[in-house]
Amino acid sequence: MNDLDTMRHSCAHVMAAAISEIWPDVQFGVGPPTANGFYYDVLFPSPISEDDLRRIERAMRLIQRQALPFKRITRSIGEAIHMAEVDGQYFKKELLELLRDTGSTAIADETGDDHVVDTAMVDEVSYYSVGDFEDLCRGPHVASSNKVGYFKLTHLAGAYWRGDEKREQLQRVYGICYRTKQDLKNEITRLEEVKLRDHRRLGREMRIFHLSPEVGSGLPLWLPNGTILRDELEYLAKEHERAAGYERVSTPHITKEELYYTSGHLPYYKDDMYAPLDIDGKNYYLKPMNCPHHHHIYLSRPRSYRDLPVRLAEYGQVYRYEDSGALSGIIRTRGFCQNDAHIYCDIDSAKDEFIRVMEMHASFYELLGISDFYMSLSLPDLKNLDKYVDDTEAWKAALEIIVEAMQESDLPYIEVEGEAAFYGPKIDFVIKSAIGTEYAISTNQLDFLAATRFGLTYRGQDGQDHPVYVIHRAPLGSHERFIAFLIEHYRAAFPIWLAPVQAIIVPVSEKFYDYAASVCKDYRSPKVRNGSLGLRIDVDQSSARMQKKVRNAVLKKMPLILVVGAKEEQDGTVSVRTREGIDYGPVKKDHLLQLLIEVSESRNDRLLYDALDASK
């Protein structure tokens, strides 16, 4: 733990001490440091509200001013368990009993709390006290409570104990903590912007998606506006993939379990799959990935060296089990639709195919205005192959191909050990939003195992059968995660070509509704090469005054606001305004129509703005 983490963990203890003063009957879970502060999971006698955070803060500052020393205390495991039971700290008792019985709390993987003791053969445990408050902890801590830096409590969240939705639901109290007042102020400003860009809030306000408890946790419903975003991204992918020689396929949502034994997913991936369905006495699984199905499409006919590479693409719906505590809007879901594809090639072309895939990623990001990204190469731990297919030479050969491809691509990358897929090394593309939030958005993998497991071969020039290499790729990731990123990145102010409503027509009064409707009809009529097969134009027919209609359009993040009145009707024009407040004045409606079609098909908003600037 570094010095800042130590400060933040100590601040979490000060918060726990303050909470125990205000609510003596609380039960504590765990309280680790985080990337910008800390949290503590607490079971209160009755749920607290955000208003209570200021009350806790005041008690924390009093403890801070008292400069109380942090003192380490050791107890036998038996004494500690007895004390936890007497004090009514049943979550701590559970952790202590796990330590006694298994040598581990196993809590680190679930909460990130690496401060709970996690060693074999535990005879005694450590506590730390600050004033009258003691907490189970292995430390370390700062010297005294006045050394916990500058802090602020930010929000509450629900958290099931140990991430199990069948267990007690605690309240997670979050705080931020920094060494200096200015660092804290900067983080508060950043968090305010994060809140403004929260995809869950914006997704609800902009009517992009809906999460219904009746449908199921982690299973989003896409509303019309969200479906437009999906359609545009899918159309974009299909255009690029067609130009790159991909063929589109479609596969079922459920599959017999034998397929996942063949692929190796059941032994290696079972915890991430839904429980099987019994159909006619056989087990079927909801599809967690598309690759085994694509392999069988490859196997549907003999292949020769003349056929390679074979590139099979699908926007495939998949289902993976996630703990309810890990679900977050549409960033992390249980059902999602991937921009998936698999490339079947020989070893000599694998590097070039991998480079082309990376270049496709970069071209998508450039088009969407994403300039801050890097690749993370996940390496296997070749000294510990329990998690991976035990074939060291095959791993080394695949790694050599990927490393050479990454170096030749000239794109930025880092290396991370021990995070490879079980069947081969992988690259995660990590993109950063406008406020610096990182999203691991898509994965490329080089798979040398599938050829052996599925018998994926091609007939070579020598007349013999040879194994293929398989490249797994998904440049746009899933609709769910990528659109969550785009909502945050653009703050839901999408570019014209992507926006659910590209322009709203605002008549200055009821007298001009007919003209507004005729313009809308003219704009919606032409066929356009985009995901909607046409322009997305609406008319504001509300009874509000014109100024309020314009304000509402800005609040709804409409890219263009087309005001029409007597002069516009007489001249066959529309007065063009933008959500940013730029007023371009009257523009011939037919000229604007052509500009909107060009923007929608080229995905280049600058074409319209440059043309309007030139005509002013």
Side-chain angles (χ1 to χ4, degrees), residues 517-537:
S518 70
V519 172
C520 186
K521 181 179 179 182
D522 290 344
Y523 279 24
R524 285 186 171 191
S525 296
K527 291 183 179 180
V528 180
R529 295 193 308 275
N530 67 354
S532 303
L533 302 180
L535 298 179
R536 301 181 293 275
I537 312 296

Side-chain angles (χ1 to χ4, degrees), residues 452-467:
T452 301
R453 286 186 174 271
F454 285 86
L456 302 173
T457 62
Y458 68 95
R459 181 64 53 91
Q461 288 180 294
D462 59 2
Q464 301 299 311
D465 286 340
H466 301 274

Side-chain angles (χ1 to χ4, degrees), residues 300-356:
S300 64
R301 66 178 177 85
R303 309 282 181 171
S304 83
Y305 69 93
R306 295 185 183 88
D307 298 316
L308 301 186
V310 174
R311 307 180 185 96
L312 303 178
E314 175 182 18
Y315 256 102
Q317 182 73 26
V318 297
Y319 304 89
R320 298 180 189 173
Y321 177 74
E322 294 274 4
D323 286 336
S324 59
L327 300 175
S328 177
I330 56 172
I331 291 177
R332 219 153 161 176
T333 60
R334 290 174 172 168
F336 50 96
C337 189
Q338 289 180 307
N339 168 221
D340 211 355
H342 296 88
I343 301 169
Y344 302 84
C345 60
D346 59 32
I347 189 169
D348 293 331
S349 61
K351 183 178 73 174
D352 288 341
E353 287 296 319
F354 214 88
I355 290 172
R356 290 190 186 99

Side-chain angles (χ1 to χ4, degrees), residues 331-399:
I331 291 177
R332 219 153 161 176
T333 60
R334 290 174 172 168
F336 50 96
C337 189
Q338 289 180 307
N339 168 221
D340 211 355
H342 296 88
I343 301 169
Y344 302 84
C345 60
D346 59 32
I347 189 169
D348 293 331
S349 61
K351 183 178 73 174
D352 288 341
E353 287 296 319
F354 214 88
I355 290 172
R356 290 190 186 99
V357 166
M358 291 188 286
E359 289 173 344
M360 182 179 284
H361 279 75
S363 68
F364 284 148
Y365 300 158
E366 181 181 1
L367 176 64
L368 289 158
I370 303 165
S371 57
D372 198 350
F373 68 90
Y374 64 91
M375 298 179 290
S376 177
L377 171 60
S378 297
L379 305 171
D381 179 359
L382 295 178
K383 297 178 182 178
N384 178 19
L385 289 172
D386 291 345
K387 291 169 56 182
Y388 314 107
V389 177
D390 191 357
D391 189 341
T392 303
E393 293 307 312
W395 274 104
K396 288 180 178 178
L399 277 172

Side-chain angles (χ1 to χ4, degrees), residues 223-236 238-239 495-503 523-538 596-597 600-601 603:
L223 305 179
N225 284 347
T227 302
I228 288 169
L229 297 175
R230 285 176 55 124
D231 287 347
E232 288 297 335
L233 291 175
E234 195 161 338
Y235 192 85
L236 169 67
K238 286 178 179 178
E239 276 195 336
I496 296 170
W497 69 268
L498 185 59
V501 178
Q502 297 170 299
Y523 279 24
R524 285 186 171 191
S525 296
K527 291 183 179 180
V528 180
R529 295 193 308 275
N530 67 354
S532 303
L533 302 180
L535 298 179
R536 301 181 293 275
I537 312 296
D538 280 343
L596 286 170
I597 292 173
S600 297
E601 295 184 341
R603 305 181 182 91

Side-chain angles (χ1 to χ4, degrees), residues 423-543:
Y423 47 76
K426 68 172 184 173
I427 292 174
D428 289 316
F429 268 80
V430 181
I431 58 181
K432 294 184 181 180
S433 71
I435 54 172
T437 307
E438 291 191 348
Y439 287 72
I441 210 72
S442 63
T443 299
N444 296 337
Q445 297 165 344
L446 186 57
D447 184 352
F448 56 81
L449 174 65
T452 301
R453 286 186 174 271
F454 285 86
L456 302 173
T457 62
Y458 68 95
R459 181 64 53 91
Q461 288 180 294
D462 59 2
Q464 301 299 311
D465 286 340
H466 301 274
V468 297
Y469 270 71
V470 181
I471 296 173
H472 305 245
R473 47 109 288 185
L476 292 175
S478 71
H479 279 319
E480 287 71 13
R481 191 169 183 82
F482 202 79
I483 289 174
F485 166 83
L486 292 178
I487 291 171
E488 177 183 302
H489 186 65
Y490 291 124
R491 200 166 157 181
F494 300 107
I496 296 170
W497 69 268
L498 185 59
V501 178
Q502 297 170 299
I504 186 80
I505 303 172
V506 175
V508 298
S509 70
E510 292 183 9
K511 291 189 297 183
F512 305 102
Y513 279 2
D514 288 345
Y515 179 61
S518 70
V519 172
C520 186
K521 181 179 179 182
D522 290 344
Y523 279 24
R524 285 186 171 191
S525 296
K527 291 183 179 180
V528 180
R529 295 193 308 275
N530 67 354
S532 303
L533 302 180
L535 298 179
R536 301 181 293 275
I537 312 296
D538 280 343
V539 177
D540 187 337
Q541 298 188 50
S542 69
S543 59

